[in-house]
Amino acid sequence: MAAMDLFGRRWALRILWELREGPLGARALLARCEGLSSSVLYQRLRELTSSGIVANSPDGYELTHLGTALGDALRPLGDWATVWAQAQAQPQDGQDSLEV
C-alpha cells in the first residue's frame, strides 16, 4: 500500500513519466509539467528519491533501476490509456467499444 500512496500523490506519476527518457533538471521538469509548483516538485522528488525510485545525479534527476522497472510495469497502463482516449474522442453508440 505504501507504493500506491506514493504514486497516488499528485504529480508523482507525471514526474516519473517525464524522466522515462533520461535525466532532467528541476527547471526542465517544471517546464514539462504545466501547473506544477516548484514546492510540490521538490516535495515529490524528495519522496521519490527517498523511496529509491529517482536519484539526483550531476545530469539532473533520473530514474534508478527500480524506477525503470516501474516504468516497464506501467507501460500496459499507458497503452490502455491511449485506447481509452481514442474511444473518448469517438461518438458513443451505447456499447462498450474499448478494445485493448
Side-chain angles (χ1 to χ4, degrees), residues 33-49:
C33 300
E34 187 177 329
L36 173 61
S37 71
S38 60
S39 62
V40 172
L41 172 64
Y42 286 112
Q43 178 63 36
R44 292 300 168 265
L45 288 171
R46 278 192 297 275
E47 294 164 352
L48 293 166
T49 299

